[in-house]
Amino acid sequence: MAKIEKLGSPEPFHLINKIPIRDIGEPLFDLRNKRETRFLALAPGCLPYVREGVFTMLKRAQSFLPWEYHIRISTALRTLEMQERLYWRYYHQLEADHPEWPLSALRRSCNKFFAPPDAKAPPGHTTGGAVDVTLVNLAGQPYDLTSPYMGWDAAYTFVDGLTPEAQHNRDLLYNAMFRAGFSNCRDEWWHWSYGDSAWAVRTCATEACYGLIAPPPDYSHVPHRKRALTGWRKGMLTPDRYRRR
């Protein structure tokens, strides 16, 4: 499995949709739990829920990092409605920018950046098994994992030509998340998951253990304010730099 992961296993949707889903019924965990999640930074607007097993794995990933590095989550759970809004907004943007494109080309291009909400397999973030992460220091400032690239030019996990500092930090994140049991989307260094259909394809698992899950009835998002990490100083959070699946 490690060899497949390090090579960056592809995850085409036609294979993802073939994976049987046998949800184990694991509940969601609220990442704002003050006693349990002091090591996590949460981005403004984040819907801060993951499966309990994923939270345990995040704690394990943190234990593999140097003390001055901490995990920041920009996206955890998404409702299916949230995924639909993101997907179709980008689809209609492409449609307006490229009126000559056929439906098939629009869908293929859109699927490169967002998991389709109308596919058989639920998008990873809607299962509670996927997280988008980066690394921050104790003052909340992000570590460099992308230089000299910007945006999507830096997205491929194994992109060549990173600065030594960026490569070092990316390796720290990769090794911590991988050792904790997560699997990475090779096209997005920040996107990691466990238990969803894409994870099953990447790791050659025969089935997914997480399917679509709804947030708690009284769910809420992380507020848009400077301090959104329990017990830490102001300035912890910075604006998201990437569009996420």
Side-chain angles (χ1 to χ4, degrees):
M1 185 181 300
K3 183 179 180 181
I4 294 172
E5 180 73 18
K6 194 62 179 177
L7 291 173
S9 181
E11 46 183 285
F13 287 114
H14 75 274
L15 293 181
I16 291 175
N17 289 328
K18 291 180 180 179
I19 295 293
I21 300 174
R22 293 182 174 82
D23 197 303
I24 59 176
E26 193 174 272
L28 293 170
F29 181 88
D30 190 334
L31 294 172
R32 292 167 296 188
N33 183 304
K34 293 182 179 180
R35 186 179 65 179
E36 297 287 342
T37 62
R38 289 182 179 271
F39 66 90
L40 286 176
L42 301 175
C46 175
L47 190 58
Y49 306 92
V50 295
R51 300 280 187 143
E52 287 186 346
V54 170
F55 170 64
T56 299
M57 292 166 64
L58 285 169
K59 288 198 296 184
R60 181 169 170 79
Q62 180 64 48
S63 73
F64 295 132
L65 292 169
W67 68 270
E68 67 272 25
Y69 285 77
H70 288 266
I71 294 170
R72 178 183 187 265
I73 297 179
S74 57
T75 304
L77 182 68
R78 281 189 191 139
T79 65
L80 190 58
E81 291 74 19
M82 291 168 63
Q83 187 75 21
E84 288 172 343
R85 285 197 300 271
L86 289 168
Y87 185 90
W88 292 113
R89 181 174 62 193
Y90 186 60
Y91 176 91
H92 292 308
Q93 178 185 326
L94 288 174
E95 192 176 36
D97 293 342
H98 304 281
E100 74 283 4
W101 284 9
L103 172 64
S104 58
L106 290 168
R107 291 292 295 234
R108 281 197 303 271
S109 184
C110 198
N111 290 353
K112 290 179 181 179
F113 302 101
F114 296 98
D118 55 349
K120 180 180 179 181
H125 284 294
T126 68
T127 71
V131 288
D132 293 341
V133 297
T134 190
L135 297 174
V136 296
N137 63 22
L138 294 177
Q141 301 303 313
Y143 284 102
D144 181 9
L145 284 79
T146 62
S147 292
Y149 304 108
M150 296 290 291
W152 283 101
D153 291 336
Y156 181 57
T157 301
F158 306 110
V159 65
D160 292 325
L162 291 174
T163 64
E165 178 185 1
Q167 188 65 66
H168 171 73
N169 292 331
R170 188 174 293 204
D171 287 346
L172 281 177
L173 178 65
Y174 183 94
N175 290 329
M177 296 294 286
F178 183 67
R179 289 177 65 190
F182 289 102
S183 179
N184 172 244
C185 170
R186 69 175 186 177
D187 296 320
E188 300 175 346
W189 60 262
W190 58 88
H191 184 88
W192 294 80
S193 69
Y194 171 80
D196 63 341
S197 299
W199 162 86
V201 170
R202 294 183 213 120
T203 61
C204 300
T206 58
E207 61 187 36
C209 59
Y210 296 155
L212 184 68
I213 190 170
D218 58 347
Y219 75 89
S220 61
H221 297 257
V222 174
H224 287 271
R225 59 186 182 184
K226 290 184 178 180
R227 188 176 183 180
L229 179 69
T230 56
W232 284 34
R233 296 187 296 275
K234 292 182 178 180
M236 194 68 206
L237 302 174
T238 55
D240 292 335
R241 297 172 60 189
Y242 304 97
R243 183 181 295 112
R244 297 169 298 278
R245 292 165 69 96

